[in-house]
């Protein structure tokens, strides 16, 4: 496995590759778990060369404390990637991607960022778009893999890729879960056993929504689900939205099967968790 810290070195390595190779890219912020690795394994099935980047992108953190607390496990990340035969890891320092005092470009996402994470975390998706544009301009991947766990991010990246005329196919990979149903996340490491048990209510509620959609109105279904969170006061519900998959706006009436999503953000002992289900 090749490891690059400088974009110039990565670029010249990529330039030396045969032109018809299918290059796949998986951007991450490290502290890798099986969810991240499932993106790499998916990418490996349909490509000649898989690149994983590990970079904690400061511009997507709207909360400095969150950035400081973000877990860093570079050695075990490298081992895990090597174990599954990832081809290339790109681990840049800040200065390799950002100029000093760089003025950030302002993106627009056609309203995809209006609700949920976009509303709660101002500037977050602008930071994500900034780093993804930079990484795509270095790598020019044929395909890039993103987790459905971050559904709003996935839809925004699909839109951004088209807007910027990248010829990269964006592929969403289903959410990898603990046995309990809890979506895997680097933040789960900060949960006590008791808290992670309580946090399973998030996925249980998403399943409940999928199973009971169309039987109740959206308004009723939301009320039933919000009550479930009220009964578990240590798990703080930030939002529970039922949205159209296409534009991620909350809906009052269901779309056709497969075109709706239920999205939840909740925190427990100041660990913020998000999850969603498409139905
Ligand atoms: P992050 O390091 O948190 O920026 O995540 C890197 C990529 O891994 C993103 O595309 C995430 O959506 C994806 N990801 C994170 N957790 C999971 C999971 N449990 N299952 C599948 N993909 C995931």
């Amino acid at each position: 496995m090749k490891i690059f810290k400088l974009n110039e070195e990565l670029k010249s390595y990529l330039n030396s590759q045969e032109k018809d190779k299918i290059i796949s890219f998986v951007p991450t912020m490290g502290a890798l778990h099986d969810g991240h690795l499932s993106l790499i394994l998916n990418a490996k099935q349909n490509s000649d060369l898989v690149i994983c980047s590990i970079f904690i992108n400061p511009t997507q953190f709207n909360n400095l404390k969150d950035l400081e607390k973000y877990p860093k496990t570079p050695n075990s990340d490298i081992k895990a990637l090597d174990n599954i035969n990832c081809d290339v890891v790109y681990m840049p320092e800040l200065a390799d991607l950002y100029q000093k005092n760089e003025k950030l470009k302002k993106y627009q996402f056609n309203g995809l960022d209006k609700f949920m994470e976009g509303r709660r975390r101002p500037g977050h998706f602008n930071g994500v778009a900034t780093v993804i544009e930079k990484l795509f301009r270095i790598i020019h991947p044929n395909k890039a893999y993103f987790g459905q766990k971050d559904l709003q991010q996935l839809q925004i990246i699909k839109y951004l890729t088209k807007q910027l005329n990248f010829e990269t196919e964006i592929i969403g990979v289903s959410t990898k879960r603990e046995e309990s149903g809890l979506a895997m996340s680097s933040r789960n490491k900060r949960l006590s056993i008791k808290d992670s048990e309580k946090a399973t209510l998030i996925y249980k509620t998403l399943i409940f929504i999928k199973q009971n959609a169309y039987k109740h109105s959206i308004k009723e279904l939301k009320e039933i689900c919000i009550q479930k969170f009220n009964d578990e006061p240590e798990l703080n519900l930030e939002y529970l939205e039922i949205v159209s998959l296409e534009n991620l706006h909350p809906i009052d009436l269901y779309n056709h099967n497969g075109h709706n999503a239920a999205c939840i953000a909740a925190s427990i002992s100041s660990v913020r968790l998000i999850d969603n289900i498409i139905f």
Side-chain angles (χ1 to χ4, degrees):
M1 187 170 74
K2 296 229 171 263
I3 301 175
F4 295 101
K5 291 203 175 266
L6 297 174
N7 72 64
E8 288 305 332
E9 288 175 5
L10 173 60
K11 277 193 238 170
S12 63
Y13 171 78
L14 291 174
N15 275 332
S16 73
Q17 299 294 308
E18 291 148 45
K19 295 292 164 249
D20 58 350
K21 272 195 176 172
I22 298 177
I23 307 224
S24 286
F25 176 43
V26 181
T28 79
M29 298 205 296
L32 301 182
H33 51 67
D34 285 353
H36 297 114
L37 300 183
S38 75
L39 302 188
I40 315 266
L41 292 169
N42 261 279
K44 280 183 68 68
Q45 283 173 17
N46 300 300
S47 36
D48 301 308
L49 192 106
V50 178
I51 303 172
C52 173
S53 65
I54 297 178
F55 177 66
I56 301 177
N57 173 38
T59 62
Q60 72 188 67
F61 285 83
N62 48 328
N63 176 339
L64 247 172
K65 274 222 175 94
D66 212 18
L67 172 61
E68 282 160 12
K69 275 195 298 198
Y70 205 85
K72 296 171 195 73
T73 57
N75 295 334
S76 65
D77 290 351
I78 291 171
K79 251 192 221 148
L81 291 171
D82 199 24
N83 272 341
I84 59 166
N85 298 317
C86 180
D87 301 294
V88 174
V89 189
Y90 174 46
M91 305 175 79
E93 300 284 341
L94 184 68
D96 200 48
L97 286 178
Y98 287 95
Q99 288 165 5
K100 243 190 165 177
N101 301 321
E102 180 173 326
K103 210 165 174 274
L104 291 192
K105 186 171 154 183
K106 285 261 177 293
Y107 296 84
Q108 71 79 23
F109 304 117
N110 203 22
L112 286 167
D113 60 333
K114 200 164 171 213
F115 299 96
M116 304 188 290
E117 295 304 288
R119 175 173 283 180
R120 282 357 185 257
R121 305 180 65 190
H124 168 67
F125 288 120
N126 209 72
V128 171
T130 303
V131 78
I132 293 298
E133 180 175 2
K134 286 174 186 288
L135 292 166
F136 278 18
R137 293 210 185 282
I138 295 167
I139 295 169
H140 290 286
N142 301 99
K143 303 176 188 213
Y145 290 73
F146 292 84
Q148 273 169 18
K149 159 144 190 310
D150 299 286
L151 181 65
Q152 202 168 11
Q153 168 173 283
L154 171 64
Q155 302 298 66
I156 284 176
I157 300 288
K158 282 184 182 165
Y159 175 77
L160 178 79
T161 306
K162 276 202 197 118
Q163 282 294 102
L164 299 176
N165 292 317
F166 282 113
E167 281 172 29
T168 303
E169 182 188 354
I170 305 299
I171 296 160
V173 177
S174 59
T175 303
K176 188 100 180 162
R177 300 179 178 282
E178 310 282 357
E179 248 172 68
S180 66
L182 183 66
M184 287 186 179
S185 161
S186 315
R187 294 171 182 207
N188 293 358
K189 291 191 188 112
R190 286 165 42 208
L191 293 174
S192 67
I193 293 176
K194 229 171 149 203
D195 284 350
S196 59
E197 272 165 20
K198 291 197 167 141
T200 59
L201 179 62
I202 299 172
Y203 186 55
K204 285 183 190 140
T205 305
L206 292 171
I207 292 284
F208 180 86
I209 293 174
K210 190 178 165 108
Q211 286 171 345
N212 290 279
Y214 304 103
K215 292 183 201 158
H216 299 276
S217 70
I218 289 182
K219 188 167 176 280
E220 277 167 5
L221 193 53
K222 278 178 75 172
E223 279 167 8
I224 298 169
C225 293
I226 288 168
Q227 188 53 47
K228 291 177 189 284
F229 280 86
N230 290 342
D231 295 341
E232 188 64 274
E234 280 165 68
L235 189 59
N236 265 312
L237 181 64
E238 203 179 294
Y239 63 75
L240 185 159
E241 296 287 7
I242 295 182
V243 298
S244 157
L245 186 56
E246 202 194 327
N247 61 16
L248 301 182
H249 287 210
I251 46 177
D252 297 324
L253 296 172
Y254 296 106
N255 290 329
H256 289 302
N257 208 353
H259 295 267
N260 311 281
C263 304
I264 291 179
S267 59
I268 186 159
S269 307
S270 52
V271 180
R272 187 173 185 274
L273 303 167
I274 61 168
D275 201 353
N276 66 79
I277 202 161
I278 295 171
F279 64 97

